[in-house]
Amino acid sequence: MASPHPHIPVGLSTASVYPEGAAAAFEMAAELGYDGVEVMVWADPISQSAGALRALADHHGLDIVSIHAPTLLLTQRVLSADPWGKIDGSIELAQQVGAPTVVLHPPFRWQQAYARGFADGVAEREHESGITLAVENMFPWAARGRQVQAYLPHWDPVPQPYDHVTIDLSHTATARSDAMQMVLDLGDRLSHIHLADGMLTTLKDDHLVPGRGTQPCAEVLQHLTTSGFAGAVVLEVGTRRRPQEREADLRESLDFARRHLGQLADEPSATATESAS
């Protein structure tokens, strides 16, 4: 029986095939049956080219569900050296490829001028562009046994005045956040999910296959099916250290997402099973 809830698209982040590029991500997403792709903009020229991305999407019959702005440390010169230039370039790219969402990180602590106008700048650009700018939750950094506030105004977007937020379920583990409470507190401000898992016993940003860590991945997905969530779920799983297992890990990740979103006809979600009992 088909799910009574609206279909939530499940995408694959190009970061999940790193250090392979966007072309490899589209090929794997199509082969495994993902609905679409999130493009992490980085040094890969294809990730910066609207024409190349549209050609890949058309060739593989996939949607580009989101663009991830190049706001990582390793992408400081990608698209622009200016932080707002990176965001504006990502918005333009999203418009050109038909992606409804741009994911972005909060400013680094040393980007103080950028940080002072960040919330207002995000709101203005959303209004002008019609693109959802979903600010992602991050985590404190560890230095010499102490936590360091590396992001401004904060790594936690929930108390901030952003209209749209991305929750990353590996980052919640690193931050020791209560992921489910964050999801509930955000309500309809929750616009995008980076699905991965993490371990509370490490300080690493693990990006494990969902179900292999401590995070409430299944519970979050089941909540989305009844909460009116209108965004996408994107698998952002680290496979760099195990490239020989990449395909199996990304297939398992997709199966996990579909199962707990109630999208497998022969395997109803846990919520549906409990309701029927």
Side-chain angles (χ1 to χ4, degrees):
M1 181 181 297
S3 168
H5 309 299
H7 180 79
I8 295 172
V10 180
L12 178 67
S13 170
T14 60
S16 296
V17 304
Y18 181 84
E20 300 294 327
F26 275 88
E27 183 176 357
M28 184 155 288
E31 179 181 339
L32 297 178
Y34 282 82
D35 297 315
V37 170
E38 173 173 297
V39 177
M40 172 76 78
V41 182
W42 63 297
D44 174 15
I46 290 176
S47 74
Q48 304 176 38
S49 168
L53 292 172
R54 283 198 307 267
L56 282 170
D58 291 344
H59 176 72
H60 291 290
L62 294 169
D63 293 326
I64 300 176
V65 298
S66 43
I67 298 293
H68 194 309
T71 48
L72 303 170
L73 280 173
L74 59 81
T75 58
Q76 291 186 74
R77 298 289 173 181
V78 174
L79 292 188
S80 172
D82 173 66
W84 282 122
K86 293 175 178 294
I87 304 307
D88 291 338
S90 299
I91 291 170
E92 182 178 357
L93 186 61
Q95 290 172 325
Q96 291 173 342
V97 302
T101 300
V102 167
V103 178
L104 64 161
H105 293 178
F108 291 112
R109 180 180 61 184
W110 55 85
Q111 295 175 309
Q112 294 190 12
Y114 175 45
R116 278 195 294 273
F118 183 67
D120 287 343
V122 166
E124 290 167 7
R125 284 164 171 80
E126 280 196 316
H127 177 73
E128 292 169 0
S129 69
I131 298 291
T132 293
L133 300 185
V135 182
E136 187 171 354
N137 63 306
M138 298 305 292
F139 43 83
W141 291 2
R144 299 177 181 176
R146 298 186 303 110
Q147 286 192 348
V148 176
Q149 168 62 289
Y151 299 96
L152 293 176
H154 202 272
W155 55 263
D156 181 0
V158 176
Q160 307 305 320
Y162 311 133
D163 288 335
H164 302 101
V165 169
T166 296
I167 288 295
D168 183 303
L169 291 168
S170 177
H171 295 175
T172 55
T174 308
R176 309 296 198 270
S177 300
D178 184 334
M180 196 68 227
Q181 191 60 55
M182 292 177 78
V183 165
L184 294 174
D185 288 345
L186 283 168
D188 60 9
R189 295 168 59 212
L190 178 64
S191 304
H192 199 71
I193 294 285
H194 278 169
L195 181 59
D197 216 330
M199 300 295 293
L200 293 177
T201 56
T202 72
L203 294 175
K204 296 187 302 179
D205 183 17
D206 292 310
H207 285 276
L208 302 175
V209 170
R212 296 185 187 176
T214 62
Q215 296 305 284
C217 298
E219 292 85 348
V220 168
L221 294 177
Q222 291 161 17
H223 170 77
L224 298 182
T225 66
T226 59
S227 67
F229 178 73
V233 170
V234 169
L235 273 299
E236 194 178 76
V237 176
T239 65
R240 179 176 56 172
R241 291 188 175 90
R242 308 187 329 155
Q244 70 280 4
E245 299 179 40
R246 176 176 292 143
E247 182 174 340
D249 284 350
L250 296 181
R251 179 179 284 109
E252 179 181 334
S253 298
L254 177 60
D255 288 346
F256 183 99
R258 295 233 187 271
R259 182 165 66 253
H260 293 290
L261 288 170
Q263 295 177 1
L264 297 180
D266 56 346
E267 289 189 60
S269 70
T271 299
T273 303
E274 289 164 7
S275 299
S277 62

